[in-house]
Amino acid sequence: MAMGSAPDQAPLAPPLWQQLQACAQALQAVLQGRNHAQALSLVEVRLRPAAQALLFAVLRQWGRTLALKKILVQRQPSAPANALLCTGLALLVPSAQAMYPSHTLVSQLVEAVKRQASTQAQAAFVNACVRRFLREQDALMAQTDSVPSARWNVPTWWMERVRQDHPDHWQTILQNSQQAAPMTIRVNQRLISRDALQAAWAAQGVMADAVGTHGLVLHQAKPVHVLPGFEQGWWSVQDLAAQSAAPLLLTGLQPRDGNRLNLLDACAAPGGKTAHLLEIADAQVTALDVDAQRCQRIHDNLARLQLHAHVVVADAAQPSSWWTGQAFDGILLDAPCTASGIVRRHPDIPWLRRAGDVAGLASQQKSLLEALWPLLAPGGRLLYCTCSLFASEGHDQIQTFLANNKQARLLPSVGPFLPGVISQVDSVADNPDHDGFFYALLERQPDA
Ligand SMILES: C[S@@+](CC[C@H](N)C(=O)[O-])C[C@H]1O[C@@H](n2cnc3c(N)ncnc32)[C@H](O)[C@@H]1O
């Protein structure tokens, strides 16, 4: 340390009442239909990490919170008071992940209500509600246990769909979806080996275990910028299930005429799977996405990882507007979906989706599949995937496609990843700690 300079000091954490207010502000935005990222962007920057941690904990108890509130509250309070009350109730629900002792939480919650002009008149009401919850906790928990949306913390239609689509595993899946996900990363093997990265991290006290073929899972999640090698492009954050896409598409895929593989990543932004393809194959990759802003993220990610793709802003369902006519050896279609498999990382999703969204997304996926299939060279492969648990976006979608496309053959060794359930995919067979994902690898038979 240079003479006279102050020792490094961690910034003081904001008081809990302020964090609760920030969480409630974001929660109010989610209740108005914004996703968690949009909601958190409204919160003061210094309070954002704490607000996110609290918001995620609250949303993981959202079904329970609604059921409790129905019993405890006769007349709906104002929106800001409601958000604070719900924040308090959700964080008081007994769970393995309890963040604060209940007496601390209650006193800080009441402080938060009192210190806001928009809520201070409702301090006594909020205080009475949360104290009644604490007094009658056991009975209230038992009473709400019989409400499916409270028991599983997803809307009832969502629970029914998971139960119908996965009769053997639905409880494990729903239980697992309420947990926080581990931080899993993919090593950029063009720049560093997994062993070398693991050793570099261990030297700085960051412990991680190898998972899958290119992954490391951290013992404790950390912000990306404090971990060695992020800016240098040595690694990217990517769930274990998503890390299967590139190897599945590439294994056994041969370029025609001895050229480099010509690949299309049809729904590519922000570029996680595009980058993985480029890290492990000598390929020319077209990365397409309909969203121009998200395409900028592909550029940024590839630049950081020192990789290159041809990035195109276009609608994959309208190839006449962008396709050059050169057939692709491989196509990755990571289609837009309900994202029902990634609830651990996006606990707002079940509450933002409506039952009717599933059919609309399935129809969009069907259009994309049908539009892209003709762009595949004979003998080429298309990997269809969604981060969804719902059969209509996975298994059923592919069965319909196969019934209507006699040139398509479903290749083996691709199975659904279900959170908490041991997968059939060899490389992660012993690790169920992944998101929900559906994969189907289709091969185009040579023309008759
Ligand atoms: C599941 S995300 C893709 C994630 C990406 N493959 C990755 O690994 O980072 C789906 C993407 O599809 C894009 N999308 C939706 N409809 C599309 C269309 N008709 N054409 C091209 N992209 C589309 C969305 O903008 C979104 O970026």
Side-chain angles (χ1 to χ4, degrees):
M1 189 174 69
M3 282 244 302
S5 69
D8 282 350
Q9 279 183 341
L12 276 183
L16 182 54
W17 63 264
Q18 255 181 16
Q19 299 178 31
L20 293 167
Q21 284 180 341
C23 170
Q25 182 192 1
L27 177 62
Q28 216 181 310
V30 171
L31 297 181
Q32 288 161 353
R34 294 203 170 98
N35 67 37
H36 77 258
Q38 294 163 338
L40 286 162
S41 71
L42 305 173
V43 168
E44 221 183 304
V45 174
R46 84 190 160 88
L47 292 168
R48 236 174 251 170
Q52 170 159 337
L54 290 172
L55 179 67
F56 277 28
V58 168
L59 291 170
R60 289 188 180 115
Q61 293 294 343
W62 193 243
R64 178 77 69 174
T65 304
L66 291 179
L68 289 170
K69 203 184 81 175
K70 207 167 162 190
I71 301 171
L72 292 168
V73 175
Q74 265 64 54
R75 204 145 47 95
Q76 178 78 354
S78 69
N82 178 58
L84 271 169
L85 170 63
C86 289
T87 297
L89 280 176
L91 296 173
L92 284 170
V93 168
S95 79
Q97 295 162 28
M99 297 173 86
Y100 298 99
S102 50
H103 60 275
T104 307
L105 201 52
V106 169
S107 71
Q108 289 292 296
L109 179 70
V110 173
E111 194 65 23
V113 181
K114 282 184 183 162
R115 284 182 182 248
Q116 262 179 188
S118 61
T119 54
Q120 60 190 191
Q122 284 161 303
F125 160 76
V126 171
N127 188 29
C129 285
V130 291
R131 288 191 188 278
R132 179 176 159 207
F133 170 71
L134 288 178
R135 275 196 315 275
E136 299 175 23
Q137 191 179 126
D138 293 348
L140 287 168
M141 289 300 287
Q143 193 178 344
T144 49
D145 261 345
S146 60
V147 180
S149 59
R151 169 69 186 83
W152 298 108
N153 282 303
V154 287
T156 307
W157 70 265
W158 183 291
M159 185 217 76
E160 292 296 357
R161 224 172 224 283
V162 176
R163 180 157 70 172
Q164 178 190 312
D165 290 348
H166 305 285
D168 296 337
H169 298 301
W170 68 276
Q171 290 167 306
T172 307
I173 294 168
L174 291 175
Q175 190 63 44
N176 206 269
S177 300
Q178 297 176 56
Q179 312 300 315
M183 181 171 181
T184 308
I185 67 102
R186 184 192 75 241
V187 180
N188 179 358
Q189 62 169 36
R190 285 203 185 269
L191 299 183
I192 190 168
S193 73
R194 177 163 67 182
D195 287 351
L197 181 63
Q198 198 177 15
W201 279 5
Q204 301 215 11
V206 178
M207 305 315 291
D209 298 325
V211 279
T213 316
H214 305 116
L216 287 173
V217 61
L218 279 86
H219 292 191
Q220 203 181 0
K222 296 203 183 300
V224 290
H225 296 285
V226 308
L227 288 167
F230 183 74
E231 310 298 347
Q232 295 97 312
W234 291 354
W235 56 273
S236 304
V237 176
Q238 191 178 45
D239 183 77
L240 186 57
Q243 291 188 32
S244 281
L248 277 171
L249 179 61
L250 292 169
T251 304
L253 190 63
Q254 297 297 330
R256 284 162 306 142
D257 322 323
N259 291 326
R260 289 165 83 205
L261 281 169
N262 182 26
L263 304 178
L264 170 68
D265 187 351
C267 292
K273 298 182 190 71
T274 309
H276 198 188
L277 288 167
L278 290 161
E279 285 165 13
I280 62 175
D282 183 23
Q284 160 186 316
V285 178
T286 302
L288 196 94
D289 202 281
V290 74
D291 184 326
Q293 274 186 341
R294 284 172 64 83
C295 276
Q296 186 52 48
R297 292 180 60 196
I298 308 180
H299 284 294
D300 296 345
N301 279 325
L302 294 183
R304 183 180 62 81
L305 296 164
Q306 301 176 35
L307 300 167
H308 179 75
H310 178 48
V311 180
V312 181
V313 182
D315 182 350
Q318 303 287 337
S320 59
S321 68
W322 55 267
W323 188 42
T324 61
Q326 194 189 356
F328 294 104
D329 301 306
I331 297 177
L332 173 58
L333 172 53
D334 185 12
C337 70
T338 54
S340 52
I342 55 171
V343 171
R344 300 183 313 165
R345 298 173 199 282
H346 299 263
D348 48 333
I349 284 177
W351 305 103
L352 295 174
R353 296 267 180 267
R354 299 287 167 261
D357 297 346
V358 186
L361 285 157
S363 142
Q364 215 180 322
Q365 293 149 10
K366 183 170 187 283
S367 306
L368 285 162
L369 257 173
E370 285 172 356
L372 294 170
W373 183 252
L375 279 50
L376 202 58
R381 292 176 180 182
L382 182 149
L383 180 64
Y384 170 84
C385 58
T386 57
C387 55
S388 173
L389 300 169
F390 301 149
S392 58
E393 301 183 277
H395 176 269
D396 297 356
Q397 180 78 263
I398 291 305
Q399 290 309 313
T400 307
F401 183 76
L402 288 168
N404 296 334
N405 290 275
K406 295 300 170 204
Q407 272 184 326
R409 183 167 74 100
L410 181 63
L411 296 182
S413 300
V414 285
F417 288 81
L418 303 173
V421 179
I422 297 284
S423 160
Q424 300 305 308
V425 180
D426 290 349
S427 62
V428 291
D430 56 352
N431 191 328
D433 204 358
H434 48 64
D435 289 341
F437 238 91
F438 175 83
Y439 284 111
L441 185 60
L442 304 168
E443 188 171 71
R444 179 169 170 179
Q445 302 298 95
D447 296 326

